Amino acid sequence: MAIPEKVDAVIVGAGPSGLMLAARLSEAGRKVVVLELGPPWEPKDLISSQIWSRRLKWHGANQLEGRNPVAHNFNAGWGVGGSVIHQYANWPRLHAEDFNVHSAFGRGLDWPFSYDVLRPWYDRIQNEVGVSGDHTREVWRPAGAPYPMPPVKVFPHAERVAEGFQKLGMRVSPAPVAINSVPFKGRPACVYDAWCDAGCPIGALVNTFVTYLPEALKHGAEIRPYSNALRVLTNARGDRAHGVEYVDTRTKERQVQMADLVILSAFTSQTPRLMLNSANDKHPNGLSNSNGLVGRYIMTHTGASAFGLFDEDVQNYMGTSAAQLISQDGYAKSSKRDFIGSYTWMIGAASKPNDFTGIANTQVPLFGAALHDYMKRASKGLVKISAVMEALPNADNRIVLSDRKDEYGMPIARIIHSLDEDALKLFAHAREEGLRIMHATAAKEVWAPPGPPALLHFTGGTPMGKSAADSVTDGYGRAHELANLYITGAGLYPTEGAVHPTFTLHALTARTADHLVRNWGTIVA
Amino acid sequence: MTVDRRSMLKGAALSAFAFTVGGATSWLTLREAYAQSVPLNVLTPTERAALEALGETLLPGAREAGIALYVDHQLSVDPGDCLLAARVANVPPPVSNFYRACLGALDRAATAAHGMPFAQLSPEQRNHFVDAMRQKVPEGWTGPPSPFFYLLARMDAVDVVYGTVEGFERLGVPYMPHVSPTSKW
Ligand SMILES: Cc1cc2nc3c(=O)[nH]c(=O)nc-3n(C[C@H](O)[C@H](O)[C@H](O)COP(=O)(O)OP(=O)(O)OC[C@H]3O[C@@H](n4cnc5c(N)ncnc54)[C@H](O)[C@@H]3O)c2cc1C
Ligand code: SF4
């Protein structure tokens, strides 16, 4: 087993959170190595095709169980850049009420801090990477700075649906998106060809190719692709992490990268898997897992959609994979509804003919000549809305190690997930509201898939918290039992709100990066 | 780190595969490869017949658009390069096991119902069979659930018929690529 030179920090996972930390720490003069399991993607790999986009997705095996198995691979990427290289860039903020669900309703968990703590980091990130929107019309948004760019363009397919919302007295506003509505910091404005799901190679959308990867490289961080982390190693006392064992997937050679600081940024599913697989005599249940919470409280957002068909060309092929408008009139959590949970309506995502969110899949029962007819009508006439809905954390939803192993002898992740009554009632509520909204438009035909709910973003599993008894990390992502092991990403969320995770993830990581840079001496001492 | 849009738009927006024909490598579209009867690498002739008949039932034109060649090619590459919808639907690698199991189940269930494999059924029988298998697992079907296979095989058919530059043209919607899918799949 080869032992490369010891470094200041080793980071597992080259997604936005890992690369942001690599950029910040190397900028502060630290020697950083990032181990990334996948290949070194470049912008030219972002081929404009829904078929090709699948090459960017996770492909390793997971054992998916429970009544509602997690839609893992749709939501996960691999390779240098991480999942975010083909994100859609819906970037709403969490609301203040999302931070204290347990205190307010006796359900779920509380965050270790309030919205006010994260607010300056949201403001800082939106100016750093670029977010378009209109904070005055986004009436539900908590306090914060105006967006640095005006809203993105709105096409007829979104306008037609907005009419339905308005008829029902519901408000809509421009969607906050990490997409350039105008040129921003030398990056071009969006041209609305809707290839975001296959990756935006021109840099109009926030991905790591235009944010933290070039910064990390500029400051001297080393990114090692094809490096599959297997275990975090600790010192003999078991109170400090001191390196990561990994395998080069091309040569199959095993190596250890020693470091003063270890950071796990390997996405919601793989960070707990690594921690559990790193069990040793001082951490028999897996790293920093005396309370048995590593891997617990995983969550997915659920999704409900409603569709309408127009005879006119509504230009549904124009726009972005993200929404053009949103409505959060149903966001406020209330014990007066028969469920606890928030939801956000996403309006006017553009459509391609094929793939999971493509036009053909909006009418799965159709086949044969009927499918051809439908494709011809819907490819210009389909409108859609989808709700992003909160699911409350539940300790039984969890990641454990499977009996099955991968080719390197590491147990694969067994991901067990079922939706509770609240989530199912919220789905029924949103679906029924979606149908009402569509019926209020001028669409000729209206429908909404009956369920089960779609499963969206994957969060939790390593929740942060105030007390070591009921969480996995502190508010900076530091594992409670290892002074120099940090975790990043949406796995840290105690609750998930009803907004996409990545703006919050950026804000949280920026806060942690600042903390690490300021307190380096004490953290690695 | 971005790609200049104008340089990316150069070049024909073809989707060509590298096929070995008569010992030499040729760049062919799926449709050309189908017309030249290029042999498959992974699927057997029986599996090919079942997949083509199913594809044609799901979306007429899928056979000639090269559904069997497309699926077969994707089953022969590394899991990390596989572009099938099955990858995204969490079918664990090797995905060929999944297709083998489903195509075998299709033929067994068709034989249980009609005394012959799926490819030999009449067009009406195929339509009825597919309508049944999309809703619940038919008698004689053993393997992954038939509604799940219906979804994925239907996605394969839609991919080859409508997921290409040619398919977009047929629908009359603009393709507007940044990076054209010109290289081999
Ligand atoms: C299709 C799609 C659309 C999305 N749309 C949106 C959206 O509209 N809005 C939004 O907010 N979010 C969206 N997201 C989610 C967003 O991309 C993620 O939240 C974000 O990328 C997570 O960042 P991360 O750094 O935590 O992890 P990731 O970006 O997932 O990076 C983790 C990295 O770790 C690597 N890794 C895993 N295990 C190991 C190991 N053992 N050894 C070495 N490396 C390892 C992985 O290969 C991966 O590259 C979308 C994601 C996808 C896939
Ligand atoms: S629609 Fe805009 S953000 Fe999306 S890929 Fe095209 S240019 Fe990039």
Side-chain angles (χ1 to χ4, degrees), chain A residues 43 48 51-52 54-55 57 73 78 193 195 201 209 353-355 360-361 363-366 368 371-372 380, chain B residues 1-3 57-58 60 70 83 85 87-88 90 134 150 154-155 159 162-163 168 172 175-176 178-179 184-185:
Chain A
S48 304
I51 301 173
W52 275 98
R54 298 175 195 147
R55 200 170 50 141
K57 302 270 190 198
N73 293 10
W78 72 315
D193 50 46
W195 281 119
F209 293 152
N354 58 325
D355 211 16
N361 273 12
Q363 276 288 19
V364 174
L366 294 182
L371 179 54
H372 275 304
K380 290 186 181 160
Chain B
M1 278 185 94
T2 55
V3 179
T57 310
L58 292 168
Y70 167 69
L83 303 180
R87 169 195 186 139
V88 185
N90 302 296
R134 77 172 177 84
Y150 165 84
R154 184 178 175 277
M155 288 186 74
D159 277 348
Y162 286 123
F168 277 52
Y175 199 85
M176 308 177 285
H178 290 290
V179 179
K184 76 181 172 70
W185 294 70

Side-chain angles (χ1 to χ4, degrees), chain B residues 125-184:
Chain B
Q125 285 173 324
R126 285 186 208 161
N127 276 335
H128 277 115
F129 191 91
V130 167
D131 199 31
M133 76 175 258
R134 77 172 177 84
Q135 300 182 65
K136 75 183 206 344
V137 176
E139 201 127 315
W141 182 287
T142 48
S146 61
F148 184 51
F149 185 51
Y150 165 84
L151 176 78
L152 293 184
R154 184 178 175 277
M155 288 186 74
D156 295 336
V158 174
D159 277 348
V160 293
V161 173
Y162 286 123
T164 60
V165 177
E166 212 187 359
F168 277 52
E169 268 166 19
R170 216 171 299 129
L171 292 171
V173 294
Y175 199 85
M176 308 177 285
H178 290 290
V179 179
S180 294
T182 50
S183 52
K184 76 181 172 70

Side-chain angles (χ1 to χ4, degrees), chain A residues 198-220:
Chain A
C200 179
I202 64 167
L205 176 151
V206 169
N207 65 34
T208 32
F209 293 152
V210 291
T211 56
Y212 305 107
L213 178 58
E215 250 193 76
L217 293 172
K218 183 176 95 188
H219 295 300

Side-chain angles (χ1 to χ4, degrees), chain A residues 56-70:
Chain A
L56 307 172
K57 302 270 190 198
W58 187 262
H59 64 86
N62 289 300
Q63 192 176 329
L64 303 176
E65 294 179 10
R67 288 193 304 278
N68 305 87
V70 169

